[in-house]
Amino acid sequence: MRLLHILTASPSTPEQADDILRAFRRLVPPALLFCDLSDADAAKLPQDDDIVRRLQSGVMALDARTKGSFLLLVRRRIWSDAARCYLGASQPRTPQRVSAELLIFGQTPCIFEAATFTPGALRQQFDAVLFSSSSLSCTPETPAQMIDQLPKDGCLRAMVVPRCLDNEPLLSRLPEFTLSAPRAALNAALKKRGLALMDAGPVLFSKRALAALAVGQMALFCPLAENCVFVRRQAPSLHDLFQRTRLFFTQSLFIRRPFHFPLLCALVPLVQILMLSVAALLGFESLALAALLLPEIYAFFSPGILPGALLRTVFLPMLAVLSLDALTIRLFARARIMHIRILKPSTIGCSIFGVLLIAASLIGIHALVPCFLAGLLFLSAPLFAQALSLPAREHIPLQKDEADRLQKLAVNAFADIQEDTPVATHMLALCGGCMLGLLEPDEAARRIESMTLSILSPADLACALASAQFLRERMAHCDAALRPLPASIETHALIQPFLDDGGPLSYILHHGKTTLRSTVNPLDALFLPRRLSASASPRILTHPHAFLRESDMSSGSSVECFLFYTSVLLNAPFEALLWRSPAAAPYWPLLSLIEEGQGAN
């Protein structure tokens, strides 16, 4: 079966275009990059030429190696009378629909700003198409796994999970969180039945399903493959969520069908706020309870979405402003005046509305209890917004005297490293010495070059790949003769016989999932989040403050102690190096499967 992987993106700056190209390079060819420009007040912005030029040069450089394997389409903006602006990423005809028209009919009504091939040449060339966003990442094996489960005449959606790293914001721990209560209830109900909405993640289409999509007859949901996982490359933010919600509400109100589901999602927050206000003024307690509980009633039968229900209630005034804003756009779409947004939603506005709601509830005293509780939630909106941006697992920073003491311990441990230390671990220790200023990069590279690398364990493999990436990033400070060294280390590490079952990081993570929680080589813990490896890591990694207060601070051999000290001093630098390694980066999504208790094969 011939598969085309289509990556959809919407760069608004040249830097975002570069980041999208880095994600595009990791796809298995043939692959198509479908880009929309951002919405704008003009048909062309000053940065558009630079964005398109970077995308073209990057894709053409990739395609030069294997002709016809990497393709690019950049869609031109169109004017919208309703939105009173030029639409780019918000165009009503989705990239999936446009791609399906090209793949089935060889033509589409859309106009392209740039293309590296003739769009009509896609007609009838592929048996299946996988659509995914540039904000998601997967292992090279994931598309093949989805094809094995693809219904003959249907489509299949993959799971989307957050990155499993220690410094991710708390918001990332809410998978597939949405600010729309009806949509959240629908997502939970569909997931219980093994289904999912097609517009909420990566979807694989068969040829027949693609033909239905091309004529606009596709269903709203499809089967969900829970063992096929895509991981978000970037942590979500509240600002992004509200921007997407604003766009969703605006588009929903222009759908002409009267009882359409997106229309219900767009109007519910405004109706809730109106019901609360009337209940507070007139003293209707049952009306206030209905406004707060009815839209989230499904959360009581599905506890997994209760945290999301609490957040939607806290930010309800902001959502009501977005709903009212979208409604005014719809009502004045044909007016001769330009639309001016009525308010900019903010958490401070939630607090102000909370104060007003409590004051209004004193007039209609019978609804004081529910309105008072709702007002307190609205008052806490700024605190919730700040908490959601904090790391999911916050670490208390070291005091200056603690950092100085740990620095001395690291220097002493580095001086005690023996020459008979395992080569891969010794290489990483030399890189750590450079990070702490104990060695010059050129000296470390020369000492590493003289070593004969042997890979005996997952820890050795992780050390070798992280060391190669460190040297690659410091090559500007090394002799030109040493430039092939990082690639040489990676080549030697990746030819080991134990890598036949799915790639280098797959081996590391599978080993970590099955044996890390027992007493194994503690170096393995350096390359996994601390919340996953706490049971196997020494105290210096998980409780550095308590460790520094102990009288006996031995943690193993000198090289292990040095790496532990360096990890705490520099906030786990070796893990970050491993994720940036070109050899390991395609496999880092497997890390999220460990926390879910799934396999890493």
Side-chain angles (χ1 to χ4, degrees):
M1 180 178 289
R2 187 165 169 78
L3 171 69
L4 175 65
H5 193 159
I6 299 181
L7 194 72
T8 59
S10 178
S12 56
T13 63
E15 291 73 22
Q16 290 182 5
D18 293 337
D19 185 59
I20 291 168
L21 285 172
R22 282 191 289 271
F24 187 59
R25 291 189 188 101
R26 290 196 286 267
L27 299 186
V28 178
L32 167 64
L33 178 58
F34 191 110
C35 289
D36 279 318
L37 300 171
S38 59
D39 299 348
D41 294 328
K44 204 164 189 178
L45 297 180
Q47 65 267 27
D48 288 351
D49 289 337
D50 192 12
I51 292 173
V52 172
R53 192 183 310 111
R54 293 195 187 196
L55 292 173
Q56 283 181 311
S57 59
V59 173
M60 291 175 70
L62 287 173
D63 192 53
R65 306 172 187 172
T66 52
K67 205 66 176 175
S69 296
F70 293 96
L71 310 173
L72 170 69
L73 287 175
V74 181
R75 187 161 50 161
R76 182 174 296 177
R77 295 186 182 94
I78 60 171
W79 172 256
S80 170
D81 289 332
R84 287 287 191 251
C85 69
Y86 286 90
L87 298 181
S90 306
Q91 295 186 38
R93 192 176 291 266
T94 64
Q96 291 80 0
R97 174 77 180 274
V98 175
S99 302
E101 290 170 344
L102 292 174
L103 289 160
I104 299 300
F105 306 122
Q107 58 184 358
T108 178
C110 294
I111 302 175
F112 296 102
E113 188 74 26
T116 59
F117 67 104
T118 304
L122 291 177
R123 182 181 180 184
Q124 305 296 332
Q125 293 294 314
F126 299 95
D127 302 313
V129 178
L130 173 61
F131 292 97
S132 67
S133 169
S134 61
S135 62
L136 304 177
S137 179
C138 70
T139 64
E141 294 84 10
T142 300
Q145 294 173 358
M146 294 183 69
I147 288 178
D148 293 338
Q149 304 177 46
L150 178 67
K152 184 176 180 181
D153 301 328
C155 52
L156 186 71
R157 219 212 80 177
M159 286 277 290
V160 178
V161 297
R163 296 192 299 184
C164 186
L165 300 177
D166 282 325
N167 59 349
E168 292 296 283
L170 186 61
L171 186 60
S172 66
R173 308 307 297 165
L174 297 174
E176 300 192 9
F177 172 65
T178 175
L179 289 170
S180 172
R183 190 179 177 90
L186 180 61
N187 284 338
L190 290 175
K191 190 172 182 180
K192 286 185 177 180
R193 292 164 175 78
L195 303 172
L197 291 172
M198 287 200 299
D199 62 347
V203 183
L204 177 66
F205 288 87
S206 66
K207 196 168 185 177
R208 185 169 296 184
L210 204 64
L213 176 64
V215 295
Q217 297 179 354
M218 216 41 221
L220 293 176
F221 49 85
C222 64
L224 177 66
E226 296 190 359
N227 59 338
C228 300
V229 176
F230 282 69
V231 179
R232 297 194 184 281
R233 297 175 55 243
Q234 297 176 345
S237 67
L238 270 180
H239 176 74
D240 295 336
L241 280 175
F242 280 108
Q243 288 296 106
R244 289 200 295 267
T245 304
R246 179 196 291 275
L247 176 62
F248 174 63
F249 285 176
T250 304
Q251 292 178 339
S252 300
L253 288 171
F254 280 90
I255 297 175
R256 297 185 181 276
R257 285 171 283 182
F259 300 106
H260 197 57
F261 178 74
L263 183 64
L264 173 67
C265 296
L267 294 178
V268 162
L270 185 59
V271 173
Q272 284 182 267
I273 288 295
L274 291 176
M275 291 172 65
L276 269 177
S277 302
V278 171
L281 291 171
L282 302 182
F284 294 154
E285 184 180 11
S286 57
L287 185 63
L289 291 174
L292 292 173
L293 299 181
L294 280 182
E296 303 288 356
I297 191 67
Y298 191 82
F300 294 98
F301 303 98
S302 183
I305 63 174
L306 273 175
L310 175 63
L311 291 180
R312 284 187 291 272
T313 304
V314 169
F315 299 122
L316 182 59
M318 296 175 66
L319 296 177
V321 169
L322 296 181
S323 179
L324 181 60
D325 190 60
L327 187 60
T328 57
I329 293 177
R330 179 67 181 92
L331 294 176
F332 298 103
R334 300 296 178 182
R336 294 178 178 272
I337 61 173
M338 294 293 291
H339 170 69
I340 300 176
R341 297 199 180 279
I342 52 176
L343 283 174
K344 182 179 180 181
S346 67
T347 55
I348 301 299
C350 290
S351 299
I352 294 174
F353 184 82
V355 173
L356 295 176
L357 183 66
I358 293 174
S361 64
L362 297 175
I363 301 175
I365 194 68
H366 296 291
L368 177 61
V369 174
C371 291
F372 182 76
L373 294 177
L376 289 181
L377 285 177
F378 299 155
L379 280 170
S380 64
L383 298 179
F384 273 85
Q386 184 179 5
L388 290 173
S389 62
L390 295 177
R393 186 177 178 90
E394 189 172 6
H395 301 285
I396 301 174
L398 295 173
Q399 300 293 331
K400 187 177 186 305
D401 58 335
E402 291 177 325
D404 293 341
R405 189 179 179 193
L406 202 57
Q407 177 85 14
K408 291 179 181 178
L409 290 173
V411 172
N412 294 334
F414 185 76
D416 293 338
I417 295 177
Q418 304 295 324
E419 292 298 327
D420 59 349
T421 301
V423 174
T425 308
H426 198 177
M427 289 166 54
L428 194 62
L430 293 174
C431 296
C434 288
M435 297 178 192
L436 295 180
L438 305 178
L439 281 178
E440 292 295 328
D442 190 74
E443 180 185 356
R446 291 188 182 280
R447 291 173 64 176
I448 289 174
E449 186 185 29
S450 64
M451 298 179 179
T452 303
L453 180 61
S454 59
I455 303 296
L456 302 176
S457 70
D460 290 335
L461 177 60
C463 289
L465 294 179
S467 301
Q469 181 61 22
F470 176 84
L471 294 176
R472 179 179 288 108
E473 295 177 0
R474 303 305 193 282
M475 269 299 135
H477 305 286
C478 299
D479 189 4
L482 297 172
R483 289 178 183 173
L485 181 58
S488 175
I489 295 174
E490 290 171 345
T491 301
H492 185 81
L494 299 180
I495 62 173
Q496 304 300 319
F498 50 67
L499 301 181
D500 295 339
D501 60 343
L505 201 57
S506 175
Y507 176 71
I508 296 171
L509 295 180
H510 179 71
H511 178 84
K513 182 182 79 69
T514 55
T515 61
L516 183 59
R517 298 189 183 279
S518 59
T519 54
V520 297
N521 188 340
L523 290 179
D524 292 341
L526 291 173
F527 308 103
L528 293 174
R530 298 175 188 179
R531 63 172 174 270
L532 300 183
S533 58
S535 59
S537 299
R539 288 175 61 80
I540 179 59
L541 284 182
T542 55
H543 303 85
H545 306 279
F547 173 83
L548 290 171
R549 289 195 297 266
E550 295 174 356
S551 56
D552 181 16
M553 294 185 292
S554 59
S555 298
S557 66
S558 297
V559 65
E560 291 175 355
C561 290
F562 173 73
L563 291 176
F564 294 151
Y565 300 152
T566 305
S567 181
V568 174
L569 278 170
L570 303 179
N571 194 22
F574 306 121
E575 178 189 353
L577 282 171
L578 185 65
W579 298 138
R580 293 199 297 269
S581 167
Y587 294 90
W588 73 265
L590 291 170
L591 181 61
S592 298
L593 297 181
I594 296 178
E595 219 177 39
E596 301 293 331
Q598 302 179 31
N601 294 325

